[in-house]
């Protein structure tokens, strides 16, 4: 619903536009008939509509723009009049007879524009006359728009160097003086608006003033375009005069906006050479001025200037830009005691960006900036301000993005001290940034000292700091961040065994504090990275005496055993068993039998005491059998012990089909192709016959419980094992045993009690095709298979 005040304002605007259009109509008619007297009369009446005090700046601007369009047409008429012989001097005097001062001054500025263009008088004299006469209007809104009109019509007629209106040697000074004087008066009018009306309308006035700020700022834009302003003139006159006005106005809106204008419109080179003057004004501003944004923009511009070319960098060193900016920031923070932490960090973040662009080789500057932040935050505990913590994350991330090397961050003494001020969730976020930086740049952390420092920075990711933090984290996000830590652990490396052992110990110390939720993610990569190193170590030590070559791997295996034992607190026995078997295989590759046997023993203990789920037992026993088959280091006694245990576990599985499959898998433990000492055909046959008995028992149980003998799939699987060992030349597996098994399967499949199983049918058909394929090969193989009737 529109309030009465707004409705009234709309009516006043409509009335003003109607009056303006009516007088503009008569003015056009006078212009068409070349009636100068009536043209001046109606133009003055038209401009009288701008004398209103009832409109808001927004509405007044609408009215002003309509008048401005009409004045452009009037200016063209005045120019044509002078071309027809009318004296511009007389015209300049004639418009001063207008009854009201505001229309008179608008007309005067319009004629003045034509007067300058005619070059019948020096531009500087006319401009000085106009800018002085505009002092007559002291109403803030009307005065601002009048002076804005003066600035608009004169901007292309300033007596600048190279301009057609250039005068004597001091011509640039005259142009600068005109713009500065107009700027000063406009700023005073603009600031005065803040102190008009009721205090309760302060917010409304601030909004209205913000809408008008570009009128004032355009003067600085004009100044920035004056070609004749060189560095000396800018340093000695322009900047001091502008800053004097900015400081003395004591208005927070004006100070913030005008400083931003100065930074934007004048060249970067000038800012660099007048840095001390520019920065010296900052502590004098009102406490409420957002000086951090102003300084941030200044440093951003200087950073971009430095990035343009390496040739400008000596200028930065010459003027000691970093020291001056650092000092200025300190003074601003000291002057504005109530500045929020986020503001302080923003300032130092901008200074850091500047330093990384201009002085990338000065790590001491980076550490100095971080130290200043630490000092400001000391005694405040963990930060709770969300904005401030984001700024600190940005601050800490900047050196990583610049140097793309975590080593650099580890050299900064204040880096960890600043991270201590972050709360747990933000520490975790920052730790993630560190990890991603390492992964992205493929940085290799190669010393225990660096690993220690890095993992201390990453502690929020690898240990429980606050129970609530992990609880809030989505499970997928948690797994993703822990996988990143796992990737990082895999990248730790040093060719020196002693140093690598120290690295493993350092990582172990940190990850074992991770609690049951993290250990399953962080322990495996540490184990595998260590095993990779142990294998590489063995390949390099082939010519070294056995005792010496095994000493160092033994130290690694001792540490790995301790790490896997730590998984018992989780507990994840299946994972621990897998890792014990991996270590056993690595010990086998390193030719260290006692260590390999010990790891197998630990795996068996885990299987017996911790793994009770039937599915987990099946998976575990197949892992044990597969690993044991690949072992070559064991003597006869140790191998027999381990093999006997494995076959015993297989026969004790809960389900008959699982028993059968595990038992026939054990047959591979007694016949290994590349090991002549492990070729025991009798025990192979024993395993297969035992598997057949178990398969037969499974069928009988099925017949007793379901009334049908079930699938013959197990028999077909055992047949394939028979064929495998028959082909390998195991003498105990002969044609007769294979043939009898084929006949058994055929009979069972034709039995009415057998449950139909398409998969088993297809498997058996495929097996028979294989036998035929081997027959068709001919030669020794074909002759061997020829006797089998399929």
């Amino acid at each position: 619903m529109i309030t009465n005040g707004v409705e009234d304002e709309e009516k006043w605007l409509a009335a003003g536009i109607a009056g303006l259009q009516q007088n503009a109509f008569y003015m056009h008619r006078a212009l068409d008939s070349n009636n100068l007297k009536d043209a001046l009369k109606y133009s003055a009446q038209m401009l009288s509509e701008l004398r209103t005090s009832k409109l808001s700046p927004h509405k007044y601007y609408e009215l002003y723009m309509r008048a401005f369009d009409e004045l452009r047409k009037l200016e063209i008429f005045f120019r044509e009049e002078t071309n027809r012989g009318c004296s511009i001097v007389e015209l300049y005097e004639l418009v001063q007879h207008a009854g009201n001062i505001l229309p008179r001054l608008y007309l005067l500025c319009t004629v003045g524009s034509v007067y300058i263009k005619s070059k019948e008088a020096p531009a500087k004299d006319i401009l000085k006359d106009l800018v002085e006469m505009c002092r007559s209007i002291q109403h803030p809104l009307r005065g601002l728009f009048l002076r804005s009109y003066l600035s608009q019509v004169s901007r292309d007629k300033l007596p600048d160097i190279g301009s057609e209106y250039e005068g004597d040697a001091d011509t640039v000074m005259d142009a600068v003086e005109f713009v500065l004087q107009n700027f000063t008066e406009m700023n005073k009018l603009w600031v005065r608006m803040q102190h008009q009306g009721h205090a309760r309308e302060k917010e409304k006035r601030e909004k209205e003033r913000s809408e008008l700020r570009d009128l004032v700022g355009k003067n600085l834009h004009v100044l920035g375009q004056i070609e004749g302003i060189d560095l000396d003139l800018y340093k000695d006159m322009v900047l001091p005069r502008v800053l004097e006005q900015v400081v003395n106005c004591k208005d927070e809106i004006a100070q913030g906006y005008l400083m931003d204008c100065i930074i934007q419109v004048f060249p970067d080179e000038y800012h660099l050479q007048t840095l001390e003057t520019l920065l010296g004004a900052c502590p004098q501003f009102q406490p409420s001025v957002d000086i951090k944004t102003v300084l941030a923009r200044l440093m951003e511009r200087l950073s971009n200037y430095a990035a343009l070319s390496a040739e400008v960098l000596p200028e930065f060193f010459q003027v000691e830009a970093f020291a001056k900016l650092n000092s200025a920031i300190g003074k601003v923070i000291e002057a504005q005691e109530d500045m929020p932490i986020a503001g302080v960090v923003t300032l130092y973040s901008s200074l850091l960006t500047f330093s990384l662009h201009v002085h990338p080789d000065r790590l001491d500057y980076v550490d100095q900036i971080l130290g200043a932040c630490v000092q400001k935050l000391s005694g405040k505990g963990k930060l709770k301000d969300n904005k401030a913590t984001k700024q600190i994350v940005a601050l800490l991330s900047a050196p990583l993005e610049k140097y793309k090397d975590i080593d650099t961050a580890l050299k900064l003494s204040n880096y960890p001290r600043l991270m201590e001020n972050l709360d747990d969730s933000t520490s975790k976020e920052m730790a993630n940034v560190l990890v991603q930086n390492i992964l992205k740049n493929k940085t290799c952390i190669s010393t225990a000292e660096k690993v220690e420092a890095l993992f201390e920075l990453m502690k929020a990711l690898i240990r429980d700091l606050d129970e609530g933090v992990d609880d809030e984290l989505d499970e997928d996000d948690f797994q993703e961040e822990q996988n990143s830590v796992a990737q990082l652990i895999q990248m730790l490396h040093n060719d020196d065994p002693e140093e690598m052992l120290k690295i493993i110990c350092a990582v172990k110390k940190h990850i074992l504090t991770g609690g049951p939720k993290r250990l399953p993610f962080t322990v495996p990569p540490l184990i595998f990275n260590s095993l990779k190193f142990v294998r590489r170590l063995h390949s390099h030590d082939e010519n070294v005496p056995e005792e010496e070559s095994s000493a160092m791997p033994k130290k690694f295996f001792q540490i790995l055993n301790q790490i896997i034992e730590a998984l018992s607190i989780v507990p994840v026995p299946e994972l621990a068993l897998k890792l014990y078997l991996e270590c056993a295989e690595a010990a086998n590759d390193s030719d260290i039998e006692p260590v390999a046997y010990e790891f197998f023993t630990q795996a068996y203990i885990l299987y017996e005491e911790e793994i009770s789920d039937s599915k987990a037992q099946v998976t575990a026993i197949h892992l044990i059998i597969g690993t044991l088959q690949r072992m070559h280091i064991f003597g006869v006694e140790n191998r027999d012990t381990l093999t006997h245990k494995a076959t015993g576990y297989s026969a004790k599985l809960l389900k008959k089909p699982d028993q059968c499959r595990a038992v026939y898998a054990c047959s591979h433990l007694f016949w290994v192709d590349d090991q002549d000492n492990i070729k025991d055909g009798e025990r192979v046959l024993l395993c297969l016959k035992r598997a057949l008995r178990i398969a037969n028992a499974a069928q009988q149980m099925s017949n007793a419980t379901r009334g049908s003998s079930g699938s013959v799939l197990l028999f077909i699987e055992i047949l394939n094992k028979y064929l495998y060992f028959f082909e390998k030349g195991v003498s105990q597996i002969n044609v007769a045993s294979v043939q009898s098994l084929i006949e058994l399967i055929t009979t069972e499949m034709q039995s009415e009690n057998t449950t139909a199983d398409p998969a088993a049918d297809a498997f058996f058909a495929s097996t028979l095709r294989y036998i035929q394929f081997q027959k068709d090969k001919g030669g020794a193989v074909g002759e061997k298979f020829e006797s089998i009737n399929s």
Side-chain angles (χ1 to χ4, degrees):
M1 186 175 177
I2 300 175
T3 62
N4 289 337
V6 175
E7 287 179 347
D8 290 343
E9 196 175 8
E10 290 289 347
K11 290 177 185 175
W12 294 327
L13 176 61
I17 291 173
L20 189 146
Q21 287 176 336
Q22 183 181 4
N23 285 297
F25 171 76
Y26 290 117
M27 182 188 78
H28 289 161
R29 199 160 68 175
L31 295 179
D32 292 341
S33 61
N34 293 327
N35 188 336
L36 180 59
K37 185 178 178 182
D38 283 354
L40 292 175
K41 171 186 170 184
Y42 289 115
S43 61
Q45 289 176 6
M46 174 189 73
L47 292 165
S48 291
E49 297 296 339
L50 294 174
R51 295 171 63 210
T52 181
S53 302
K54 295 178 179 179
L55 299 177
S56 66
H58 184 71
K59 300 296 182 187
Y60 191 89
Y61 175 75
E62 199 174 325
L63 188 64
Y64 165 81
M65 286 309 296
R66 290 176 183 269
F68 181 81
D69 291 340
E70 300 300 336
L71 285 171
R72 302 311 285 174
K73 296 169 188 173
L74 188 63
E75 183 181 350
I76 294 169
F77 172 74
F78 287 153
R79 198 176 301 132
E80 290 171 350
E81 279 293 294
T82 57
N83 291 338
R84 284 194 288 264
C86 179
S87 170
I88 186 64
V89 178
E90 291 178 4
L91 190 57
Y92 190 67
E93 292 176 359
L94 184 61
V95 295
Q96 296 184 43
H97 295 156
N100 290 308
I101 189 157
L102 187 65
R104 184 193 313 158
L105 289 172
Y106 271 106
L107 290 171
L108 201 58
C109 291
T110 307
V111 176
S113 173
V114 179
Y115 195 179
I116 295 172
K117 208 163 184 65
S118 71
K119 301 179 185 174
E120 292 187 21
K124 64 175 185 176
D125 294 340
I126 301 168
L127 292 172
K128 185 178 181 181
D129 193 31
L130 291 174
V131 78
E132 289 291 343
M133 283 195 281
C134 284
R135 286 179 184 270
S136 308
I137 304 299
Q138 289 299 308
H139 183 279
L141 189 60
R142 296 198 289 266
L144 267 177
F145 277 95
L146 171 64
R147 286 186 174 275
S148 175
Y149 179 68
L150 173 61
S151 178
Q152 188 73 21
V153 297
S154 63
R155 64 186 303 167
D156 58 343
K157 302 174 184 69
L158 296 175
D160 190 10
I161 289 177
S163 162
E164 58 181 300
Y165 308 105
E166 183 180 359
D168 52 32
D170 292 329
T171 185
V172 176
M173 296 290 286
D174 295 322
V176 170
E177 186 60 43
F178 166 75
V179 178
L180 282 174
Q181 195 172 342
N182 200 43
F183 160 71
T184 302
E185 293 302 323
M186 285 185 78
N187 190 48
K188 289 176 180 176
L189 292 168
W190 185 45
V191 170
R192 201 185 306 156
M193 286 182 69
Q194 187 65 37
H195 308 292
Q196 293 187 328
H198 296 289
R200 63 176 177 270
E201 295 179 341
K202 180 184 176 186
E203 194 174 323
K204 179 187 172 187
R205 285 198 302 275
E206 287 179 352
K207 183 183 177 185
E208 290 174 345
R209 286 189 61 212
S210 293
E211 292 172 354
L212 294 172
R213 63 185 187 176
D214 285 349
L215 298 180
V216 184
K218 280 177 183 175
N219 288 282
L220 296 180
H221 185 67
V222 171
L223 265 180
Q225 291 182 319
I226 296 177
E227 294 289 338
I229 297 181
D230 57 14
L231 178 58
D232 291 334
L233 182 56
Y234 176 77
K235 185 190 296 186
D236 298 336
M237 178 182 177
V238 176
L239 184 61
R241 286 274 297 275
V242 173
L243 286 179
E244 180 185 13
Q245 180 57 36
V246 174
V247 171
N248 290 342
C249 73
K250 300 189 184 302
D251 178 80
E252 61 174 289
I253 296 176
Q255 288 178 336
Y257 171 68
L258 293 176
M259 279 298 285
D260 192 43
C261 285
I262 293 170
I263 292 165
Q264 298 302 329
V265 302
F266 293 109
D268 299 325
E269 180 192 357
Y270 289 11
H271 293 324
L272 187 59
Q273 297 299 330
T274 58
L275 202 51
E276 197 165 352
T277 307
L278 197 58
L279 295 174
C282 294
Q284 302 176 56
F285 293 161
Q286 298 298 101
S288 52
V289 174
D290 185 16
I291 196 65
K292 66 179 182 298
T293 304
V294 173
L295 287 174
R297 283 181 182 154
L298 173 61
M299 287 184 275
E300 183 183 359
R301 282 210 56 170
L302 292 176
S303 299
N304 293 338
Y305 178 53
L308 285 176
S309 170
E311 295 175 4
V312 302
L313 290 178
E315 296 177 30
F316 285 86
F317 307 149
Q318 187 180 358
V319 301
E320 298 179 341
F322 176 82
K324 288 176 181 175
L325 286 167
N326 192 21
S327 173
I329 288 172
K331 288 176 182 176
V332 167
I333 293 171
E334 191 178 332
Q336 298 190 9
E337 295 177 357
D338 298 331
M339 183 183 288
I341 293 297
V344 173
V345 180
T346 300
L347 279 173
Y348 282 117
S349 187
S350 299
L351 181 61
L352 180 62
T353 304
F354 170 83
S355 177
L356 293 174
H357 274 93
V358 180
H359 306 283
D361 56 328
R362 295 295 299 266
L363 275 182
D364 56 322
Y365 284 174
V366 177
D367 209 28
Q368 189 178 333
I369 294 166
L370 298 180
C373 284
V374 170
Q375 189 175 355
K376 188 66 182 175
L377 296 170
S378 62
K380 298 189 184 298
K382 301 285 186 184
L383 281 179
K384 302 296 181 185
D385 181 358
N386 191 40
K387 192 174 179 182
T389 54
K390 282 183 178 178
Q391 288 293 339
I392 289 182
V393 169
L395 185 73
L396 292 168
S397 302
L400 301 177
E401 292 168 7
K402 175 65 179 178
Y403 298 111
K404 304 186 187 312
D405 182 7
I406 192 68
D407 277 358
T408 306
L410 298 178
K411 290 175 186 173
L412 301 169
S413 61
N414 287 305
Y415 203 93
R417 293 174 62 199
L418 186 55
M419 278 191 71
E420 287 173 8
N421 291 279
L422 299 173
D423 60 20
D424 291 342
S425 61
T426 315
S427 292
K428 181 173 284 191
E429 182 186 344
M430 191 59 228
N432 251 323
V433 171
L434 289 168
V435 172
Q436 294 307 320
N437 181 273
I438 294 170
L439 298 181
K440 181 181 176 182
N441 297 303
K442 296 182 172 61
T443 309
C444 179
I445 312 298
S446 55
T447 68
E449 185 182 358
K450 289 179 182 178
V451 168
E452 185 70 41
L454 173 62
F455 274 69
E456 191 59 38
L457 292 177
M458 287 167 47
K459 60 187 176 185
L461 276 181
I462 54 179
R463 69 176 74 155
D464 292 321
L465 298 179
D466 183 349
E467 293 180 5
V469 174
D470 284 341
D471 293 342
E472 293 171 9
L473 196 63
D474 179 76
E475 189 61 33
D476 290 341
D477 292 340
F478 177 79
Q479 288 184 14
E480 186 178 341
E481 71 179 23
Q482 291 304 307
N483 286 335
S484 296
V485 175
Q487 283 181 266
L488 182 144
I489 292 172
Q490 289 277 26
M491 293 172 67
L492 305 176
H493 177 72
N494 192 302
D495 288 330
D496 177 42
E498 292 288 350
E499 190 62 32
M500 188 63 184
L501 189 63
K502 289 178 184 176
I503 290 174
I504 301 298
C505 291
V507 177
K508 170 199 162 193
K509 182 184 81 172
H510 284 278
I511 67 170
L512 292 187
T513 62
K517 199 173 179 182
R518 290 182 177 81
L519 285 177
F521 291 94
T522 52
V523 166
L526 181 58
I527 298 291
F528 283 105
N529 192 12
S530 305
L531 295 180
K532 182 171 65 176
F533 184 82
V534 168
R535 285 189 169 98
R536 191 184 298 122
L537 195 63
H538 177 71
S539 66
H540 290 165
D541 293 346
E542 288 181 352
N543 300 323
V544 179
E546 186 178 337
E547 286 187 11
E548 290 182 30
S549 65
S550 64
M552 183 55 70
K554 281 181 180 177
K555 291 181 182 178
F556 276 87
F557 286 126
Q558 287 169 5
I559 298 295
L560 297 183
N561 190 36
Q562 295 168 15
I563 295 170
I564 299 172
E565 281 178 0
L567 285 174
S568 61
I569 67 166
V570 178
V572 279
E574 296 91 344
L575 175 60
L577 183 137
K578 289 177 186 176
L579 295 176
Y580 277 131
L581 294 176
E582 288 287 349
C583 290
E585 195 167 352
N588 175 76
D589 296 341
S590 300
D591 298 328
I592 312 175
E593 183 182 3
V595 173
Y597 188 82
E598 177 59 28
F599 279 122
F600 253 100
T601 305
Q602 294 297 328
Y604 282 175
I605 292 170
L606 264 181
Y607 179 85
E608 291 176 2
E609 296 180 357
E610 301 291 339
I611 301 178
S612 55
D613 179 73
S614 60
K615 287 184 179 178
Q617 285 182 337
V618 171
T619 304
I621 196 61
H622 281 284
L623 277 172
I624 289 170
I625 294 167
T627 307
L628 188 54
Q629 183 197 356
R630 293 192 294 274
M631 305 295 283
H632 63 76
I633 190 68
F634 292 133
V636 175
E637 185 180 342
N638 283 345
R639 187 172 185 90
D640 281 351
T641 304
L642 295 173
T643 305
H644 178 72
K645 275 284 187 184
T647 52
Y649 293 148
S650 302
K652 292 177 183 176
L653 291 173
L654 180 64
K655 297 176 182 177
K656 290 292 181 186
D658 292 337
Q659 279 183 27
C660 177
R661 291 184 175 104
V663 168
Y664 73 56
C666 285
S667 63
H668 289 281
L669 297 176
F670 304 106
W671 192 278
V672 181
D673 282 346
D674 56 357
Q675 296 185 51
D676 292 335
N677 61 327
I678 308 177
K679 284 187 170 58
D680 189 343
E682 289 289 342
R683 296 177 77 175
V684 169
L685 183 61
L686 194 65
C687 282
L688 295 179
K689 283 183 175 180
R690 191 174 186 182
L692 268 174
R693 286 199 303 272
I694 296 170
N696 193 46
Q699 273 215 329
Q700 289 175 5
M701 284 177 65
S702 177
N703 198 26
T705 55
R706 298 187 181 88
S708 63
S709 58
S711 173
V712 294
L713 189 61
L714 287 173
F715 290 114
I716 303 169
E717 290 174 9
I718 295 168
L719 171 61
N720 276 269
K721 290 296 174 185
Y722 268 85
L723 289 171
Y724 172 82
F725 288 111
F726 177 70
E727 192 175 340
K728 290 293 182 183
V730 179
S731 58
Q732 287 79 1
I733 309 295
N734 51 35
V735 173
S737 58
V738 174
Q739 189 67 55
S740 64
L741 189 50
I742 292 172
E743 290 170 2
L744 171 66
I745 295 168
T746 307
T747 305
E748 286 292 334
M749 290 178 76
Q750 292 170 353
S751 171
E752 293 179 0
N753 290 337
T754 303
T755 306
D757 185 352
D761 295 344
F763 190 12
F764 186 53
S766 178
T767 304
L768 296 179
R769 280 198 303 274
Y770 177 76
I771 294 172
Q772 187 60 46
F773 173 74
Q774 295 295 83
K775 288 180 181 180
D776 295 343
K777 270 187 177 179
V781 175
E783 187 179 333
K784 189 172 188 178
F785 276 83
E786 191 62 42
S787 305
I788 301 173
N789 297 321
S790 56

